[in-house]
Short mmCIF file of all heavy atoms in Angstrom, two decimals:
data_model
loop_
_atom_site.label_atom_id
_atom_site.label_comp_id
_atom_site.label_asym_id
_atom_site.label_seq_id
_atom_site.Cartn_x
_atom_site.Cartn_y
_atom_site.Cartn_z
N ASP A 1 -4.06 -64.07 41.53
CA ASP A 1 -3.84 -63.36 42.81
C ASP A 1 -3.74 -64.31 43.98
O ASP A 1 -4.62 -64.92 44.42
CB ASP A 1 -5.00 -62.36 43.00
CG ASP A 1 -4.65 -61.30 44.10
OD1 ASP A 1 -3.54 -61.37 44.65
OD2 ASP A 1 -5.47 -60.48 44.31
N HIS A 2 -2.47 -64.33 44.55
CA HIS A 2 -2.27 -65.31 45.61
C HIS A 2 -2.60 -64.78 46.98
O HIS A 2 -2.54 -65.42 47.97
CB HIS A 2 -0.81 -65.78 45.58
CG HIS A 2 0.16 -64.70 45.81
ND1 HIS A 2 0.41 -63.71 44.81
CD2 HIS A 2 0.96 -64.38 46.84
CE1 HIS A 2 1.30 -62.92 45.35
NE2 HIS A 2 1.71 -63.32 46.54
N ILE A 3 -2.93 -63.47 46.99
CA ILE A 3 -3.20 -62.81 48.21
C ILE A 3 -4.74 -62.88 48.52
O ILE A 3 -5.52 -62.35 47.76
CB ILE A 3 -2.72 -61.37 48.31
CG1 ILE A 3 -1.30 -61.32 47.93
CG2 ILE A 3 -2.93 -60.76 49.68
CD1 ILE A 3 -0.94 -60.40 46.81
N SER A 4 -5.09 -63.48 49.53
CA SER A 4 -6.53 -63.52 49.95
C SER A 4 -6.98 -62.15 50.45
O SER A 4 -6.31 -61.59 51.34
CB SER A 4 -6.82 -64.56 51.01
OG SER A 4 -5.82 -64.56 51.99
N LYS A 5 -7.94 -61.61 49.82
CA LYS A 5 -8.31 -60.26 50.05
C LYS A 5 -8.75 -60.02 51.56
O LYS A 5 -9.43 -60.86 52.12
CB LYS A 5 -9.57 -59.91 49.22
CG LYS A 5 -9.79 -58.45 49.01
CD LYS A 5 -11.07 -58.30 48.12
CE LYS A 5 -11.63 -56.84 48.25
NZ LYS A 5 -12.96 -56.78 47.74
N ASN A 6 -8.26 -58.96 52.08
CA ASN A 6 -8.54 -58.52 53.39
C ASN A 6 -8.09 -59.46 54.53
O ASN A 6 -8.55 -59.46 55.64
CB ASN A 6 -10.10 -58.28 53.61
CG ASN A 6 -10.54 -57.08 52.88
OD1 ASN A 6 -9.75 -56.23 52.51
ND2 ASN A 6 -11.82 -57.07 52.56
N HIS A 7 -7.08 -60.34 54.20
CA HIS A 7 -6.49 -61.22 55.20
C HIS A 7 -4.99 -60.96 55.44
O HIS A 7 -4.45 -61.28 56.44
CB HIS A 7 -6.75 -62.64 54.91
CG HIS A 7 -8.13 -63.02 55.12
ND1 HIS A 7 -9.11 -63.06 54.13
CD2 HIS A 7 -8.81 -63.43 56.25
CE1 HIS A 7 -10.28 -63.51 54.60
NE2 HIS A 7 -10.10 -63.72 55.92
N THR A 8 -4.44 -60.29 54.42
CA THR A 8 -3.01 -60.00 54.50
C THR A 8 -2.78 -58.52 54.20
O THR A 8 -3.41 -57.99 53.35
CB THR A 8 -2.23 -60.79 53.45
OG1 THR A 8 -2.74 -62.12 53.49
CG2 THR A 8 -0.79 -60.80 53.74
N CYS A 9 -1.88 -57.91 54.95
CA CYS A 9 -1.56 -56.51 54.69
C CYS A 9 -0.71 -56.45 53.45
O CYS A 9 0.35 -57.11 53.26
CB CYS A 9 -0.78 -56.01 55.88
SG CYS A 9 -0.08 -54.35 55.60
N GLY A 10 -1.13 -55.59 52.50
CA GLY A 10 -0.46 -55.50 51.21
C GLY A 10 0.85 -54.70 51.25
O GLY A 10 1.55 -54.58 50.25
N ILE A 11 1.23 -54.23 52.43
CA ILE A 11 2.51 -53.50 52.56
C ILE A 11 3.55 -54.29 53.20
O ILE A 11 4.68 -54.47 52.65
CB ILE A 11 2.23 -52.18 53.36
CG1 ILE A 11 1.17 -51.32 52.58
CG2 ILE A 11 3.53 -51.35 53.57
CD1 ILE A 11 0.70 -50.08 53.39
N CYS A 12 3.28 -54.97 54.29
CA CYS A 12 4.28 -55.75 55.00
C CYS A 12 4.08 -57.28 54.70
O CYS A 12 4.87 -58.05 55.07
CB CYS A 12 4.29 -55.45 56.47
SG CYS A 12 2.76 -56.09 57.30
N TRP A 13 2.93 -57.64 54.17
CA TRP A 13 2.67 -59.01 53.75
C TRP A 13 2.44 -59.96 54.96
O TRP A 13 2.40 -61.17 54.77
CB TRP A 13 3.77 -59.61 52.81
CG TRP A 13 3.81 -58.79 51.60
CD1 TRP A 13 4.86 -57.88 51.26
CD2 TRP A 13 2.84 -58.63 50.54
NE1 TRP A 13 4.60 -57.25 50.14
CE2 TRP A 13 3.38 -57.69 49.61
CE3 TRP A 13 1.59 -59.20 50.19
CZ2 TRP A 13 2.71 -57.33 48.43
CZ3 TRP A 13 0.92 -58.80 49.11
CH2 TRP A 13 1.49 -57.90 48.23
N TYR A 14 2.31 -59.37 56.12
CA TYR A 14 1.93 -60.21 57.28
C TYR A 14 0.41 -60.35 57.36
O TYR A 14 -0.31 -59.45 57.03
CB TYR A 14 2.47 -59.54 58.55
CG TYR A 14 3.92 -59.81 58.82
CD1 TYR A 14 4.86 -58.89 58.66
CD2 TYR A 14 4.33 -61.12 59.14
CE1 TYR A 14 6.23 -59.07 58.82
CE2 TYR A 14 5.70 -61.38 59.42
CZ TYR A 14 6.62 -60.38 59.23
OH TYR A 14 7.98 -60.54 59.40
N GLN A 15 -0.03 -61.45 57.86
CA GLN A 15 -1.47 -61.62 58.03
C GLN A 15 -1.96 -60.75 59.20
O GLN A 15 -1.21 -60.42 60.09
CB GLN A 15 -1.71 -63.07 58.42
CG GLN A 15 -1.51 -63.99 57.25
CD GLN A 15 -2.33 -65.24 57.37
OE1 GLN A 15 -2.59 -65.80 58.50
NE2 GLN A 15 -2.77 -65.82 56.26
N PHE A 16 -3.23 -60.34 59.04
CA PHE A 16 -3.84 -59.53 60.15
C PHE A 16 -3.97 -60.39 61.39
O PHE A 16 -4.48 -61.51 61.37
CB PHE A 16 -5.13 -59.00 59.67
CG PHE A 16 -5.00 -58.00 58.55
CD1 PHE A 16 -5.85 -58.09 57.47
CD2 PHE A 16 -4.03 -57.03 58.53
CE1 PHE A 16 -5.82 -57.17 56.40
CE2 PHE A 16 -3.92 -56.12 57.53
CZ PHE A 16 -4.79 -56.20 56.44
N VAL A 17 -3.66 -59.77 62.51
CA VAL A 17 -3.98 -60.40 63.81
C VAL A 17 -5.08 -59.57 64.39
O VAL A 17 -5.18 -58.39 64.26
CB VAL A 17 -2.78 -60.38 64.73
CG1 VAL A 17 -2.60 -61.72 65.35
CG2 VAL A 17 -1.46 -59.94 64.01
N GLU A 18 -5.89 -60.26 65.15
CA GLU A 18 -7.15 -59.59 65.65
C GLU A 18 -6.89 -58.32 66.49
O GLU A 18 -7.69 -57.37 66.35
CB GLU A 18 -7.97 -60.65 66.43
CG GLU A 18 -8.89 -61.38 65.57
CD GLU A 18 -9.86 -62.31 66.36
OE1 GLU A 18 -10.38 -61.92 67.35
OE2 GLU A 18 -9.93 -63.47 65.96
N ASN A 19 -5.92 -58.37 67.24
CA ASN A 19 -5.74 -57.21 68.11
C ASN A 19 -4.99 -56.07 67.48
O ASN A 19 -4.80 -55.08 68.15
CB ASN A 19 -5.10 -57.63 69.47
CG ASN A 19 -3.77 -58.32 69.25
OD1 ASN A 19 -3.35 -58.49 68.11
ND2 ASN A 19 -3.09 -58.59 70.31
N LYS A 20 -4.50 -56.24 66.27
CA LYS A 20 -3.81 -55.16 65.61
C LYS A 20 -4.74 -54.24 64.79
O LYS A 20 -5.76 -54.71 64.23
CB LYS A 20 -2.75 -55.80 64.70
CG LYS A 20 -1.35 -55.24 65.04
CD LYS A 20 -0.30 -55.53 63.99
CE LYS A 20 0.95 -54.66 64.18
NZ LYS A 20 1.92 -54.93 63.14
N LEU A 21 -4.43 -53.01 64.85
CA LEU A 21 -5.29 -51.99 64.15
C LEU A 21 -5.16 -52.07 62.68
O LEU A 21 -4.10 -51.99 62.05
CB LEU A 21 -4.86 -50.56 64.68
CG LEU A 21 -5.90 -49.51 64.42
CD1 LEU A 21 -7.19 -49.83 65.15
CD2 LEU A 21 -5.36 -48.16 65.00
N VAL A 22 -6.33 -52.22 61.98
CA VAL A 22 -6.46 -52.44 60.55
C VAL A 22 -7.27 -51.32 60.06
O VAL A 22 -8.33 -51.00 60.56
CB VAL A 22 -7.01 -53.81 60.29
CG1 VAL A 22 -7.39 -53.91 58.74
CG2 VAL A 22 -6.01 -54.91 60.59
N PHE A 23 -6.84 -50.76 58.93
CA PHE A 23 -7.52 -49.71 58.27
C PHE A 23 -8.01 -50.01 56.85
O PHE A 23 -7.20 -50.57 56.11
CB PHE A 23 -6.67 -48.47 58.24
CG PHE A 23 -7.36 -47.17 57.82
CD1 PHE A 23 -8.16 -46.50 58.71
CD2 PHE A 23 -7.31 -46.77 56.53
CE1 PHE A 23 -8.81 -45.27 58.43
CE2 PHE A 23 -7.99 -45.60 56.13
CZ PHE A 23 -8.72 -44.85 57.13
N GLU A 24 -9.26 -49.84 56.59
CA GLU A 24 -9.77 -50.19 55.28
C GLU A 24 -9.96 -48.95 54.44
O GLU A 24 -10.58 -47.98 54.81
CB GLU A 24 -11.13 -50.90 55.39
CG GLU A 24 -11.53 -51.67 54.11
CD GLU A 24 -12.93 -52.33 54.29
OE1 GLU A 24 -13.92 -51.56 54.12
OE2 GLU A 24 -12.95 -53.50 54.51
N LEU A 25 -9.41 -49.01 53.18
CA LEU A 25 -9.57 -47.83 52.28
C LEU A 25 -10.89 -47.95 51.58
O LEU A 25 -11.63 -48.90 51.66
CB LEU A 25 -8.40 -47.94 51.21
CG LEU A 25 -7.00 -47.80 51.77
CD1 LEU A 25 -5.96 -47.87 50.74
CD2 LEU A 25 -6.85 -46.40 52.53
N SER A 26 -11.13 -46.88 50.81
CA SER A 26 -12.43 -46.76 50.07
C SER A 26 -12.53 -47.86 49.00
O SER A 26 -13.68 -48.28 48.58
CB SER A 26 -12.59 -45.40 49.40
OG SER A 26 -11.34 -45.09 48.72
N CYS A 27 -11.44 -48.43 48.56
CA CYS A 27 -11.50 -49.53 47.58
C CYS A 27 -11.65 -50.92 48.22
O CYS A 27 -11.59 -51.90 47.63
CB CYS A 27 -10.19 -49.50 46.77
SG CYS A 27 -8.77 -49.69 47.73
N LYS A 28 -11.84 -50.89 49.61
CA LYS A 28 -12.14 -52.11 50.36
C LYS A 28 -10.88 -52.94 50.67
O LYS A 28 -10.95 -54.08 51.15
CB LYS A 28 -13.18 -53.00 49.73
CG LYS A 28 -14.51 -52.29 49.51
CD LYS A 28 -15.26 -52.12 50.86
CE LYS A 28 -16.54 -51.35 50.64
NZ LYS A 28 -16.92 -50.67 51.83
N HIS A 29 -9.72 -52.42 50.30
CA HIS A 29 -8.48 -53.09 50.70
C HIS A 29 -8.02 -52.68 52.06
O HIS A 29 -8.18 -51.46 52.40
CB HIS A 29 -7.39 -52.83 49.63
CG HIS A 29 -7.62 -53.49 48.38
ND1 HIS A 29 -7.57 -52.87 47.15
CD2 HIS A 29 -7.79 -54.85 48.11
CE1 HIS A 29 -7.84 -53.69 46.22
NE2 HIS A 29 -7.98 -54.93 46.74
N ALA A 30 -7.64 -53.62 52.85
CA ALA A 30 -7.28 -53.29 54.23
C ALA A 30 -5.78 -53.45 54.48
O ALA A 30 -5.19 -54.36 53.92
CB ALA A 30 -8.08 -54.21 55.20
N PHE A 31 -5.30 -52.59 55.37
CA PHE A 31 -3.86 -52.59 55.65
C PHE A 31 -3.72 -52.29 57.13
O PHE A 31 -4.60 -51.71 57.81
CB PHE A 31 -3.06 -51.63 54.86
CG PHE A 31 -3.27 -51.73 53.38
CD1 PHE A 31 -4.28 -51.05 52.74
CD2 PHE A 31 -2.47 -52.56 52.62
CE1 PHE A 31 -4.46 -51.24 51.36
CE2 PHE A 31 -2.69 -52.77 51.31
CZ PHE A 31 -3.69 -52.06 50.66
N HIS A 32 -2.56 -52.68 57.71
CA HIS A 32 -2.28 -52.26 59.13
C HIS A 32 -2.26 -50.72 59.09
O HIS A 32 -1.70 -50.10 58.13
CB HIS A 32 -0.91 -52.72 59.50
CG HIS A 32 -0.82 -54.24 59.66
ND1 HIS A 32 0.15 -54.97 58.98
CD2 HIS A 32 -1.53 -55.10 60.30
CE1 HIS A 32 0.01 -56.29 59.24
NE2 HIS A 32 -1.09 -56.38 60.09
N PHE A 33 -2.80 -50.17 60.12
CA PHE A 33 -2.82 -48.67 60.22
C PHE A 33 -1.37 -48.14 60.18
O PHE A 33 -1.13 -47.06 59.52
CB PHE A 33 -3.55 -48.30 61.46
CG PHE A 33 -3.79 -46.81 61.50
CD1 PHE A 33 -4.74 -46.17 60.65
CD2 PHE A 33 -3.19 -46.03 62.46
CE1 PHE A 33 -4.92 -44.85 60.68
CE2 PHE A 33 -3.42 -44.62 62.56
CZ PHE A 33 -4.31 -44.02 61.62
N SER A 34 -0.53 -48.75 60.90
CA SER A 34 0.88 -48.24 61.01
C SER A 34 1.56 -48.31 59.64
O SER A 34 2.31 -47.48 59.32
CB SER A 34 1.61 -49.05 62.01
OG SER A 34 1.51 -50.39 61.78
N CYS A 35 1.33 -49.41 58.90
CA CYS A 35 1.94 -49.56 57.60
C CYS A 35 1.39 -48.51 56.65
O CYS A 35 2.14 -47.86 55.91
CB CYS A 35 1.62 -50.94 57.03
SG CYS A 35 2.44 -52.30 57.91
N LEU A 36 0.16 -48.27 56.72
CA LEU A 36 -0.54 -47.26 55.82
C LEU A 36 -0.05 -45.88 56.05
O LEU A 36 0.14 -45.07 55.18
CB LEU A 36 -2.01 -47.35 55.99
CG LEU A 36 -2.91 -46.91 54.80
CD1 LEU A 36 -2.66 -47.70 53.60
CD2 LEU A 36 -4.36 -47.06 55.20
N LYS A 37 0.19 -45.67 57.34
CA LYS A 37 0.64 -44.25 57.80
C LYS A 37 2.05 -44.00 57.13
O LYS A 37 2.21 -42.86 56.56
CB LYS A 37 0.79 -44.19 59.22
CG LYS A 37 0.09 -42.97 59.81
CD LYS A 37 -0.16 -43.07 61.30
CE LYS A 37 1.07 -42.85 62.11
NZ LYS A 37 0.86 -42.90 63.56
N LYS A 38 2.87 -44.97 57.13
CA LYS A 38 4.22 -44.79 56.47
C LYS A 38 4.08 -44.63 55.00
O LYS A 38 4.72 -43.87 54.39
CB LYS A 38 5.06 -46.06 56.82
CG LYS A 38 5.73 -45.92 58.11
CD LYS A 38 6.73 -47.03 58.35
CE LYS A 38 6.29 -47.86 59.51
NZ LYS A 38 6.93 -49.20 59.54
N TRP A 39 3.24 -45.49 54.41
CA TRP A 39 3.05 -45.44 52.96
C TRP A 39 2.48 -44.15 52.45
O TRP A 39 2.86 -43.58 51.45
CB TRP A 39 2.06 -46.60 52.55
CG TRP A 39 1.67 -46.68 51.15
CD1 TRP A 39 0.60 -46.08 50.52
CD2 TRP A 39 2.32 -47.36 50.10
NE1 TRP A 39 0.51 -46.38 49.22
CE2 TRP A 39 1.63 -47.18 48.89
CE3 TRP A 39 3.46 -48.18 50.01
CZ2 TRP A 39 2.00 -47.75 47.64
CZ3 TRP A 39 3.82 -48.71 48.87
CH2 TRP A 39 3.08 -48.51 47.70
N MET A 40 1.54 -43.61 53.26
CA MET A 40 0.85 -42.38 52.82
C MET A 40 1.72 -41.11 52.96
O MET A 40 1.31 -40.08 52.54
CB MET A 40 -0.45 -42.25 53.59
CG MET A 40 -1.56 -43.17 53.21
SD MET A 40 -1.98 -43.01 51.43
CE MET A 40 -2.89 -44.58 51.16
N ARG A 41 2.85 -41.25 53.53
CA ARG A 41 3.77 -40.12 53.68
C ARG A 41 4.25 -39.76 52.24
O ARG A 41 4.54 -38.65 51.92
CB ARG A 41 4.97 -40.52 54.52
CG ARG A 41 4.71 -40.11 55.99
CD ARG A 41 6.00 -40.27 56.75
NE ARG A 41 5.67 -40.86 58.09
CZ ARG A 41 6.52 -41.61 58.73
NH1 ARG A 41 7.67 -41.94 58.30
NH2 ARG A 41 6.22 -42.00 59.96
N LYS A 42 4.39 -40.76 51.38
CA LYS A 42 4.95 -40.55 50.04
C LYS A 42 3.97 -40.77 48.96
O LYS A 42 4.08 -40.25 47.85
CB LYS A 42 6.18 -41.48 49.83
CG LYS A 42 7.35 -41.21 50.72
CD LYS A 42 8.47 -42.17 50.47
CE LYS A 42 9.59 -41.90 51.43
NZ LYS A 42 10.58 -43.04 51.44
N LYS A 43 2.87 -41.58 49.16
CA LYS A 43 2.02 -41.93 48.07
C LYS A 43 0.59 -41.69 48.49
O LYS A 43 0.18 -41.68 49.66
CB LYS A 43 2.26 -43.36 47.70
CG LYS A 43 3.69 -43.60 47.30
CD LYS A 43 3.90 -45.04 46.88
CE LYS A 43 5.34 -45.44 46.97
NZ LYS A 43 6.11 -45.07 45.81
N THR A 44 -0.25 -41.50 47.46
CA THR A 44 -1.68 -41.25 47.77
C THR A 44 -2.60 -42.26 47.12
O THR A 44 -3.68 -41.99 46.75
CB THR A 44 -2.05 -39.84 47.34
OG1 THR A 44 -1.62 -39.57 45.99
CG2 THR A 44 -1.41 -38.81 48.24
N HIS A 45 -2.10 -43.43 46.80
CA HIS A 45 -2.95 -44.47 46.22
C HIS A 45 -2.81 -45.74 47.00
O HIS A 45 -1.88 -45.94 47.76
CB HIS A 45 -2.54 -44.66 44.73
CG HIS A 45 -1.12 -45.14 44.56
ND1 HIS A 45 -0.04 -44.34 44.21
CD2 HIS A 45 -0.58 -46.38 44.66
CE1 HIS A 45 1.07 -45.02 44.11
NE2 HIS A 45 0.79 -46.32 44.45
N CYS A 46 -3.76 -46.62 46.77
CA CYS A 46 -3.79 -47.89 47.46
C CYS A 46 -2.63 -48.70 47.02
O CYS A 46 -2.36 -48.88 45.84
CB CYS A 46 -5.11 -48.63 47.21
SG CYS A 46 -5.18 -50.31 47.74
N PRO A 47 -1.84 -49.33 47.94
CA PRO A 47 -0.68 -50.19 47.58
C PRO A 47 -1.06 -51.41 46.83
O PRO A 47 -0.27 -51.99 46.19
CB PRO A 47 -0.08 -50.51 48.92
CG PRO A 47 -0.70 -49.60 49.94
CD PRO A 47 -2.07 -49.19 49.41
N HIS A 48 -2.34 -51.75 46.96
CA HIS A 48 -2.81 -53.02 46.34
C HIS A 48 -3.34 -52.86 44.92
O HIS A 48 -2.83 -53.49 44.02
CB HIS A 48 -3.85 -53.60 47.28
CG HIS A 48 -3.94 -55.08 47.27
ND1 HIS A 48 -3.40 -55.85 48.23
CD2 HIS A 48 -4.48 -55.92 46.40
CE1 HIS A 48 -3.57 -57.09 47.91
NE2 HIS A 48 -4.26 -57.17 46.85
N CYS A 49 -4.34 -51.98 44.69
CA CYS A 49 -4.91 -51.86 43.44
C CYS A 49 -4.55 -50.47 42.75
O CYS A 49 -5.01 -50.23 41.63
CB CYS A 49 -6.44 -51.94 43.58
SG CYS A 49 -7.18 -50.61 44.53
N GLU A 50 -3.84 -49.65 43.46
CA GLU A 50 -3.34 -48.38 43.02
C GLU A 50 -4.46 -47.36 42.69
O GLU A 50 -4.25 -46.41 41.89
CB GLU A 50 -2.39 -48.57 41.82
CG GLU A 50 -1.18 -49.36 42.18
CD GLU A 50 -0.12 -49.39 41.10
OE1 GLU A 50 -0.37 -48.88 40.01
OE2 GLU A 50 1.01 -49.85 41.42
N LYS A 51 -5.58 -47.56 43.26
CA LYS A 51 -6.69 -46.58 43.12
C LYS A 51 -6.30 -45.45 44.07
O LYS A 51 -5.86 -45.63 45.15
CB LYS A 51 -8.01 -47.16 43.64
CG LYS A 51 -8.79 -47.83 42.49
CD LYS A 51 -10.18 -48.12 43.00
CE LYS A 51 -10.97 -48.92 42.01
NZ LYS A 51 -12.25 -49.36 42.50
N PRO A 52 -6.60 -44.15 43.61
CA PRO A 52 -6.29 -42.99 44.42
C PRO A 52 -7.13 -43.09 45.73
O PRO A 52 -8.30 -43.44 45.67
CB PRO A 52 -6.77 -41.83 43.61
CG PRO A 52 -6.89 -42.36 42.21
CD PRO A 52 -7.18 -43.84 42.34
N VAL A 53 -6.52 -42.71 46.80
CA VAL A 53 -7.26 -42.70 48.01
C VAL A 53 -7.96 -41.35 48.29
O VAL A 53 -7.31 -40.34 48.08
CB VAL A 53 -6.24 -42.97 49.18
CG1 VAL A 53 -6.97 -42.82 50.59
CG2 VAL A 53 -5.69 -44.33 49.05
N VAL A 54 -9.16 -41.39 48.63
CA VAL A 54 -9.94 -40.14 48.81
C VAL A 54 -9.63 -39.46 50.18
O VAL A 54 -9.64 -40.16 51.14
CB VAL A 54 -11.44 -40.35 48.75
CG1 VAL A 54 -12.11 -39.10 48.13
CG2 VAL A 54 -11.78 -41.52 47.86
ZN1 ZN B 1 1.28 -54.28 57.39
ZN1 ZN B 2 -7.20 -51.08 46.80
#
């Protein structure tokens, strides 16, 4: 796994910047809130580990 956990958004692959809104799922994977919002329109699992989101 080349992605350091909780440092890179698993949807857009950009690193987190401090002032950007980050959302953490129940599986402890974090993504940009805006990226997650787009992703969740079509899917209901974590983009990273594919665990269903509660
Ligand atoms: Zn992102
Ligand atoms: Zn996950």
Side-chain angles (χ1 to χ4, degrees):
D1 195 357
H2 63 288
I3 306 127
S4 43
K5 200 183 163 194
N6 291 340
H7 286 95
T8 315
C9 172
I11 299 171
C12 69
W13 303 108
Y14 280 106
Q15 288 204 330
F16 293 136
V17 228
E18 270 185 45
N19 58 356
K20 237 193 164 180
L21 198 56
V22 167
F23 190 80
E24 198 184 77
L25 296 177
S26 47
C27 58
K28 301 289 176 204
H29 288 127
F31 305 92
H32 297 125
F33 188 69
S34 50
C35 291
L36 204 61
K37 228 163 77 176
K38 275 185 242 164
W39 175 270
M40 287 302 165
R41 271 187 216 152
K42 290 178 185 169
K43 304 182 200 275
T44 51
H45 61 262
C46 171
H48 210 100
C49 66
E50 300 192 351
K51 268 192 190 174
V53 175
V54 210

